[in-house]
Amino acid sequence: MRVLKTIKELREYRKKIMGKVGFVATMGYLHKGHASLINAARKECSNVIVSIFVNPKQFGRNEDLDKYPRDIKRDIKLCKEAKVDCIFYPENKEMYPGDESTIVDVEKVTEALCGKFRPTHFRGVTTVVIKLFNIITPDIAYFGQKDLQQSVVIKKMTKDLNLNVEIRVCSIIREKDGLAMSSRNKYLNIEERAKAVTLYKSLTKARNAFKEGIRNVKELKTIIKKEVDKIIKKGIDQIQYIDIIDINSLKSVKKAKKGDAIAIAVFIGKTRLIDNIIL
Ligand code: AMP
């Protein structure tokens, strides 16, 4: 497995690859969720490239860029075990030399859900992803449904800009108790970790109600809110949003239908967790 740090090295490496290249973009501190994307890539592609880059442009001013967990040694080990062919591990100045004046901004689908609360986040994501696509030129790129809005935004960018890459969205990998795996789960203390499972619990409760025939959005949201309210400590935790959306437009629906998603974002202490479930 190669670990390459410069764009030049990566391009030279890429030139020599004949078969299909699968690409997994990550911010490191890898877990089984990332590994599932790598496995999906391995099934379809003869060469798998993983990028590890904590992209400063997708963090807001008061967000967790400085304390975002990093452990490159562990990441390299996980990638080796997952039979990754190459890690692209650039430094900040390699990706952003400081003289750039271009950003890629996808409209509309970035306005809902997380976009409302993190107004500069998605343009940071799309700008870095298109740069990575241009550097790596993958045939297929793999993203997780864990970041549902991100996957929709990237699919939209790829279509709108006629990017020559197929986008695959892979299902959410969860801990045994249902908590969606995330690098940010590391921030949770024991008490917070115990509370965190409520996100998934509340989503499954609403999905069960949907299965039993409830289509009214207000009713479904109330089921979730009631469940999450049980763990919310006033002034410490906070529900950011609970929404039922069409998974292509990301617009809130009036009546829930099969294939819609319920998405949720909650602050447990200082840690912002997101999750979603497809009806
Ligand atoms: P991140 O390193 O958090 O930026 O995530 C990199 C990629 O892994 C994104 O496409 C995420 O959606 C995906 N991912 C993160 N957590 C999970 C998970 N629990 N299950 C599946 N994919 C995930």
Side-chain angles (χ1 to χ4, degrees), residues 191-213:
E191 191 198 334
E192 291 168 338
R193 173 63 185 81
K195 284 158 93 172
V197 68
T198 306
L199 271 76
Y200 181 62
K201 256 198 203 161
S202 71
L203 291 175
T204 44
K205 215 169 184 183
R207 186 173 61 183
N208 289 341
F210 176 82
K211 280 183 187 159
E212 281 157 21

Side-chain angles (χ1 to χ4, degrees), residues 6-219:
T6 68
I7 295 166
K8 191 165 174 270
E9 286 171 314
L10 198 287
R11 287 216 161 113
E12 271 160 22
Y13 171 80
R14 174 68 180 95
K15 256 191 235 159
K16 293 177 196 140
I17 304 170
M18 300 295 285
K20 270 198 178 159
V21 171
F23 171 49
V24 179
T26 82
M27 297 210 297
Y29 210 71
L30 304 178
H31 50 68
K32 286 181 185 157
H34 298 111
S36 77
L37 306 188
I38 295 169
N39 288 338
R42 271 193 28 232
K43 279 196 187 128
E44 276 189 294
C45 305
S46 58
N47 190 288
V48 179
I49 301 180
V50 172
S51 65
I52 297 179
F53 179 59
V54 182
N55 172 36
K57 292 219 191 302
Q58 70 189 68
F59 288 78
R61 273 189 176 194
N62 301 316
E63 293 183 352
D64 55 340
L65 173 62
D66 291 338
K67 62 170 185 157
Y68 196 83
R70 292 162 165 91
D71 190 343
I72 188 65
K73 271 196 190 149
R74 196 170 141 268
D75 289 349
I76 290 175
K77 190 166 173 270
L78 185 145
C79 285
K80 253 190 201 156
E81 283 164 8
K83 300 205 167 60
V84 167
D85 297 282
C86 175
I87 297 178
F88 181 48
Y89 178 51
E91 287 187 6
N92 269 349
K93 63 175 187 312
E94 183 71 9
M95 292 301 282
Y96 303 116
D99 59 353
E100 42 309 321
S101 19
T102 307
I103 53 156
V104 175
D105 204 352
V106 175
E107 296 177 334
K108 294 185 191 118
V109 285
T110 51
E111 285 159 19
L113 307 173
C114 297
K116 266 189 210 160
F117 301 91
R118 307 182 73 194
T120 57
H121 170 67
F122 287 111
R123 66 175 189 235
V125 171
T126 41
T127 302
V128 82
V129 168
I130 200 165
K131 279 165 74 72
L132 291 166
F133 281 179
N134 284 333
I135 294 164
I136 292 162
T137 63
D139 296 284
I140 311 175
Y142 299 80
F143 293 87
Q145 188 208 310
K146 158 84 189 353
D147 300 276
L148 175 68
Q149 187 170 18
Q150 171 174 282
S151 69
V152 172
V153 170
I154 284 164
K155 275 199 269 180
K156 192 81 182 82
M157 170 179 81
T158 304
K159 181 167 182 280
D160 289 354
L161 299 181
N162 307 99
L163 303 182
N164 198 14
V165 54
E166 282 176 53
I167 306 297
R168 300 267 191 276
V169 181
C170 306
S171 9
I172 304 177
I173 304 299
R174 299 179 178 280
E175 301 285 357
K176 277 204 185 98
D177 65 358
L179 174 66
M181 288 194 179
S182 164
S183 310
R184 287 190 166 97
N185 291 348
K186 180 181 162 44
Y187 299 148
L188 302 168
N189 63 30
I190 291 172
E191 191 198 334
E192 291 168 338
R193 173 63 185 81
K195 284 158 93 172
V197 68
T198 306
L199 271 76
Y200 181 62
K201 256 198 203 161
S202 71
L203 291 175
T204 44
K205 215 169 184 183
R207 186 173 61 183
N208 289 341
F210 176 82
K211 280 183 187 159
E212 281 157 21
I214 296 178
R215 298 288 179 269
N216 185 297
V217 165
K218 212 173 158 190
E219 253 179 89

